[in-house]
Amino acid sequence: MMQAGFFKHNRVKYMSDLEFGNFTDKIEKAEGEKAALIAMSGGVDSSVAALEMVKKGYKCMGCTMRLYENDMIGEDLLGTCCSIKDTEDARAVCDKVRIPYHVYHYEAEFRDKVIEPFVCSYERGETPNPCIRCNRYLKFDHLYKKAVELGADVIVTGHYARIEEKDGHFYLKKALDLSKDQSYVLYELTEEQLSHTAFPLGEFSSKGAVREIAEKEGLITSHKSDSQDICFVPDGDYVGLIKRYRGKDYPKGDFVDLEGNVLGTHDGIINYTIGQRRGLGIPADRRLYVTKLDVPNNKVILGDDIDLFKRELYIRDFNWITGNKPLSEFKCSAKIRYRHKEQPARVIPLDDGFAKIVFDEPQRAITAGQSAVLYDGDYVLGGGIIDHLGEI
């Protein structure tokens, strides 16, 4: 177990009227009582997750992770996720359910582990999913360590997923409400982390049921809309974020077809993703799609829709949730993006954390930087990041 330490009180100007800080006071609990640290976003899901843990008899503490400042994203924090309003809503919910609340600061860690890799990924011609890295390095690493310091037995989030304990092992499963299932973004969790995590909303049959509970209990977040964008790109303009972050523009280059013929000029390779059709500005007698990003030569390669379909891909940083990566080929289903329906495939483990996935049928727009997540029915086996290996 980690020893509790002292974190310097870190006050910033726009939060001067709110109580916060990286406190490490232990959660006071009676003998035999279980304690939970609730990650509070200020939304309805984490609010009901906190309420459910209180109902289950846990000694709870709510917290919000402060991940970035407004100068980072170029937006007023009043209008973004991680905003002052979200923090006030999270605090109000904690007051309502009578649990303590703190704000913990992880701006430096978020910049290092999420924003910098996000920018680097686009510069490599990839399309990253920063929520997965945030879960891995912030919620279930830094916040997990904070929970240990506080004496909490579990970390709780508002994710729609389930955890099953069976035969001495812990397994990650899809949520009952498949339309809200978020197991895809949790595939990098380990069995050890799952053993100290709770997802109360995974057992709910619908999002409507969650809102009904919030309304019945008078929670201020009951009618709050769901966040749809990447938290640090609230306007959806990831290109603008990257340019501000790097302090530079990206060079124009050639649009080319599959034979290498120049079709026009692109506006900088970070502006494009695999499968993109809109915004190309290329006059043609048919619809053209981005089929490949050739970063070394600063070229965007265009083709027909049929050219987007492939059966094979490679993943790096292969994570097997139970910890013991298979040594031989196995069958499962896999999904290649959050909204993709998983499809039957074969997985061939390779050396150095790589694996090869071969789908039974070709899949459209397999994109480097996204994650391929492996399933056996409702169970999440693991997954990895789709790699450029063998493409360019």
Side-chain angles (χ1 to χ4, degrees), residues 12 32 34 41 96 106 112 131 147 153 207 210 216-217 225 279 295 308:
V12 292
K34 295 287 188 178
S41 67
K96 179 73 174 180
Y106 295 102
D112 179 54
C131 296
D153 298 283
K207 178 64 174 273
V210 172
K216 179 180 178 181
E217 297 293 337
S225 60
V295 174
L308 292 170

Side-chain angles (χ1 to χ4, degrees), residues 19 81 90 139 211 287 316 345:
E19 173 193 350
C81 173
K139 291 186 179 72
R211 290 197 181 277
R287 290 180 175 179
R316 63 179 186 264

Side-chain angles (χ1 to χ4, degrees), residues 175-383:
L176 283 183
D177 180 2
L178 295 180
S179 69
K180 297 295 294 182
D181 175 56
Q182 294 174 299
S183 61
Y184 174 87
V185 298
L186 299 167
Y187 79 89
E188 289 203 280
L189 289 177
T190 65
E191 190 175 356
E192 167 65 19
Q193 290 167 329
L194 288 173
S195 70
H196 296 285
T197 301
F199 300 130
L201 305 191
E203 301 292 340
F204 282 77
S205 59
S206 71
K207 178 64 174 273
V210 172
R211 290 197 181 277
E212 287 176 9
I213 290 175
E215 186 171 8
K216 179 180 178 181
E217 297 293 337
L219 301 185
I220 194 172
T221 57
S222 62
H223 295 288
K224 198 169 182 178
S225 60
D226 294 337
S227 175
Q228 300 294 328
D229 297 314
I230 297 171
C231 69
F232 59 94
V233 193
D235 60 358
D237 182 14
Y238 74 89
V239 174
L241 179 282
I242 293 172
K243 289 179 177 180
R244 289 192 300 272
Y245 183 83
R246 285 287 190 243
K248 70 175 186 180
D249 289 321
Y250 288 80
K252 296 178 182 291
D254 291 333
F255 281 120
V256 300
D257 62 20
L258 296 177
E259 287 72 43
N261 300 306
V262 176
L263 303 177
T265 302
H266 69 68
D267 292 326
I269 211 158
I270 65 169
N271 289 273
Y272 306 96
T273 60
I274 303 301
Q276 180 176 336
R277 177 175 67 87
R278 298 183 184 276
L280 301 181
I282 298 294
D285 59 358
R286 65 190 190 282
R287 290 180 175 179
L288 295 175
Y289 300 82
V290 176
T291 62
K292 188 178 295 186
L293 300 174
D294 183 353
V295 174
N297 298 301
N298 195 26
K299 294 180 179 180
V300 176
I301 301 166
L302 306 180
D304 297 317
D305 185 70
I306 194 171
D307 298 317
L308 292 170
F309 286 83
K310 298 180 180 180
R311 289 185 61 214
E312 299 182 359
L313 64 89
Y314 290 90
I315 58 174
R316 63 179 186 264
D317 302 327
F318 184 21
N319 177 60
W320 189 260
I321 288 179
T322 58
N324 297 316
K325 186 183 77 172
L327 300 178
S328 59
E329 178 180 317
F330 62 95
K331 292 184 178 181
C332 64
S333 60
K335 62 190 300 184
I336 56 174
R337 62 182 64 89
Y338 184 64
R339 294 299 181 188
H340 180 246
K341 171 66 176 176
E342 67 263 23
Q343 299 294 321
R346 294 182 291 116
V347 179
I348 304 153
L350 304 172
D351 294 333
D352 300 321
F354 281 90
K356 182 178 181 180
I357 299 177
V358 182
F359 285 99
D360 290 1
E361 300 293 335
Q363 303 300 307
R364 187 180 186 277
I366 297 173
T367 304
Q370 292 288 292
S371 291
V373 179
L374 313 179
Y375 291 85
D376 180 6
D378 283 345
Y379 292 88
V380 183
L381 304 176

Side-chain angles (χ1 to χ4, degrees), residues 22-76:
N22 286 338
F23 303 113
T24 54
D25 295 338
K26 292 280 187 178
I27 299 175
E28 295 182 4
K29 56 182 180 179
E31 184 177 352
E33 191 175 28
K34 295 287 188 178
L37 181 63
I38 321 292
M40 306 284 289
S41 67
V44 65
D45 291 332
S46 58
S47 299
V48 173
L51 178 64
E52 290 300 301
M53 296 305 288
V54 170
K55 288 181 177 179
K56 290 179 180 180
Y58 279 78
K59 188 75 171 182
C60 296
M61 176 184 289
C63 72
T64 294
M65 304 179 75
R66 174 66 62 185
L67 301 176
Y68 52 82
E69 313 293 2
N70 56 350
D71 63 342
M72 169 75 70
I73 64 172
E75 292 284 338
D76 185 343

Side-chain angles (χ1 to χ4, degrees), residues 147-158:
V148 172
E149 292 177 8
L150 294 168
D153 298 283
V154 294
I155 283 179
V156 181
T157 74

